[in-house]
Amino acid sequence: MIKSLLKLGVVLVIGVLAYNYFLGTPEEKASAREITGKIADIGKASFGLLKEEYQKFKDGKYDGAIDKIGNLLKDAKEKGSEYVEDIKAWEERRELWQEKKKQFEEMLDTESTDMSEEQMKKELEELEAEGKALEKEGKELEEKVGNN
């Protein structure tokens, strides 16, 4: 219900804006041009933000922390810790995450993607969230192993 009302509202705003842009008085036309210019600026800023976040992600925003934790856990595993299974499970999740990240980067590097900007943003957010969760789990596991 709310979703339908929001869609209707957006359609009405676009309709009024289009009417004013083409058929309105000179003041209405100027106002409509100003609004469309601002909308274009927002679109450019959103794309710039997405591009900046992608570059940070590509530069390894989470790689260093995750690799460091992985090395510490690997050392603990070699010492015969009681957390061997937990460490192995974490390492498997880390490898899957790294593979997803690699596939995402390759897809973006080819620039022949069928994904919309919104889909790319969602995919990037999911990868970042998964990376943060993986980093948190790794730190918790590191503390458990360190306290043992």
Side-chain angles (χ1 to χ4, degrees), residues 35-60:
I35 291 170
T36 55
K38 289 179 181 179
I39 291 171
D41 291 343
I42 289 171
K44 289 176 186 176
S46 297
F47 183 73
L49 178 64
L50 179 62
K51 191 174 181 181
E52 182 180 308
E53 279 301 310
Y54 167 67
Q55 188 60 43
K56 287 179 187 177
F57 181 77
K58 191 174 180 179
D59 290 342

Side-chain angles (χ1 to χ4, degrees), residues 66 73 85-101 127 130-131 133-141 144:
I66 290 174
L73 294 175
E85 291 304 316
D86 293 339
I87 294 169
K88 285 181 183 178
W90 184 87
E91 287 176 338
E92 288 174 8
R93 288 193 309 277
R94 179 184 67 168
E95 289 174 16
L96 287 173
W97 179 82
Q98 288 173 333
E99 184 60 34
K100 285 182 194 176
K101 178 183 175 238
L127 281 169
E130 191 175 334
L134 195 59
E135 182 179 359
K136 181 181 176 190
E137 290 174 26
K139 286 181 180 180
E140 290 171 357
L141 192 54
K144 286 181 188 176

